């Protein structure tokens, strides 16, 4: 407090100051008179100093400490070890196992009803069911800063998305993206995996942007642009569907 402003008498609460918490600001009323009603030493010189309270005895946190706590609780950006998995792969695994099990059960029931179920035929139907499971099970897609990987039953493929030289469409039963990096690694990726998982798409798009900025991605900007527009369209349709608009 600057100056010797007239302060109303403070109720007798001891020699210490009266501290009142008003909102988020701590207000201290410091008595400006001594024991006999005379002005205190600090008032004679025109300045009243607030009492010194140690951090160990002060139960009220300061605004600075609250700000530091807020900064400490802020999430850190993803590190180099950050990785994201396809969230829908587990459901596809269950669906593949269910279809294979249904096929095995139907073949076994038909053979049992016809009285032809033997051990060799059971092994044959089991093999067919396992083959169907392998065909239906998609590779698991994992992505991180600067890379994307697919893991199947037998092998794993990894491509550096920050060092891509080619991204092109491959036509077939289902359209896929064929990626190739500067190290010669190749990988086929189902675009639906990126469309339904925004986090995977964000990491993939960041990597392709780095490849473009470095002048490496000479063949593939059109494919990436088409996929980006498709994802934007799916996002808009999802927002409209959730909000009830058509």
């Amino acid at each position: 407090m600057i100056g010797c402003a007239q302060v109303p008498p403070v109720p007798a609460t001891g020699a210490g100051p009266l501290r009142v918490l008003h909102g988020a600001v701590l207000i201290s009323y410091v008595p400006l008179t001594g024991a006999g009603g005379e002005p205190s030493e600090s008032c004679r010189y025109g300045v009243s100093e607030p009492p010194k309270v140690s951090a160990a005895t002060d139960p009220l946190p300061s605004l600075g400490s609250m700000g530091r706590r807020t900064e400490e609780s802020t999430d850190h950006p993803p590190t180099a070890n950050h990785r994201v998995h396809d969230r829908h792969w587990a459901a596809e695994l269950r669906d593949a196992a269910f279809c294979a099990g249904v096929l095995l059960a139907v073949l076994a029931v038909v053979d049992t009803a016809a009285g032809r179920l033997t051990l060799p035929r059971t092994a044959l139907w089991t093999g067919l069911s396992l083959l169907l499971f392998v065909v239906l099970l998609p590779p698991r897609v994992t992505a991180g800063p600067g890379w994307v990987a697919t893991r199947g039953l037998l092998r794993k493929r990894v491509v550096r998305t920050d060092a891509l030289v080619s991204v092109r469409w491959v036509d077939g039963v289902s359209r896929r993206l064929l990626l190739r990096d500067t190290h010669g690694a190749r990988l086929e990726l189902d675009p639906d995996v990126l469309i339904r998982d925004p986090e995977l798409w964000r990491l993939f798009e960041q990597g392709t942007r780095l490849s473009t900025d470095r002048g490496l991605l000479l063949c593939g900007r059109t494919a990436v642009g088409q996929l980006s527009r498709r994802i934007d369209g799916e996002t808009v349709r999802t927002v409209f569907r959730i909000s009830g608009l058509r």
Side-chain angles (χ1 to χ4, degrees):
M1 185 185 300
I2 306 300
C4 291
Q6 192 74 19
V7 179
V10 180
T13 57
L18 177 63
R19 308 172 70 211
V20 180
L21 185 63
H22 181 70
V25 181
L26 183 64
I27 305 175
S28 299
Y29 296 94
V30 181
L32 302 181
T33 58
E38 297 295 331
S40 62
E41 291 293 332
S42 60
C43 184
R44 290 195 187 101
Y45 290 99
V47 179
S48 62
E49 298 179 357
K52 296 181 179 180
V53 182
S54 63
T57 59
D58 190 2
L60 297 173
S62 63
L63 295 178
S65 63
M66 288 190 289
R68 287 192 298 270
R69 291 175 186 174
T70 303
E71 293 176 358
E72 292 172 358
S73 62
T74 304
D75 294 336
H76 297 284
T79 61
N81 296 327
H82 176 68
R83 61 181 58 194
V84 177
H85 302 280
D86 181 12
R87 297 176 297 176
H88 302 272
W89 183 82
E92 294 178 340
L93 172 64
R94 291 191 296 268
D95 292 341
F98 176 77
C99 293
V102 168
L103 176 62
L104 179 60
V106 169
L107 293 176
V109 168
V110 171
D111 264 5
T112 301
R116 297 181 300 178
L117 184 62
T118 60
L119 186 59
R121 292 178 69 87
T122 302
L124 176 61
W125 303 147
T126 303
L128 288 177
S129 300
L130 290 177
L131 180 61
L132 177 63
F133 174 77
V134 172
V135 171
L136 295 179
L137 181 64
R140 188 179 188 184
V141 179
T142 306
W147 60 271
V148 64
T150 58
R151 178 183 291 276
L153 292 177
L154 300 178
R155 61 182 304 180
K156 177 180 179 180
R157 297 178 182 269
V158 181
V159 164
R160 297 293 308 184
T161 55
D162 56 358
L164 289 175
V165 295
S166 173
V167 178
R168 61 186 181 89
W169 293 106
V170 176
D171 295 327
V173 178
S174 60
R175 214 177 185 198
R176 296 182 178 272
L177 281 174
L178 179 60
L179 313 178
R180 186 166 60 89
D181 61 13
T182 55
H183 306 287
R186 300 164 62 94
L187 182 148
E188 285 192 10
L189 185 63
D190 186 0
D192 291 336
V193 175
L194 301 177
I195 293 174
R196 67 194 181 193
D197 198 319
E199 188 67 14
L200 283 175
W201 164 247
R202 182 182 66 84
L203 292 172
F204 177 80
E205 193 268 339
Q206 288 177 352
T208 56
R209 191 187 306 122
L210 284 175
S211 300
T212 303
D213 294 341
R214 294 171 179 173
L216 301 175
L217 187 58
L218 303 178
C219 176
R221 299 181 183 180
T222 302
V224 175
Q226 292 173 350
L227 182 59
S228 178
R229 289 190 293 270
R230 181 180 172 185
I231 291 177
D232 292 340
E234 291 291 339
T235 302
V236 172
R237 283 189 287 271
T238 301
V239 172
F240 284 170
R241 183 172 64 253
I242 294 176
S243 58
L245 301 176
R246 298 296 181 186

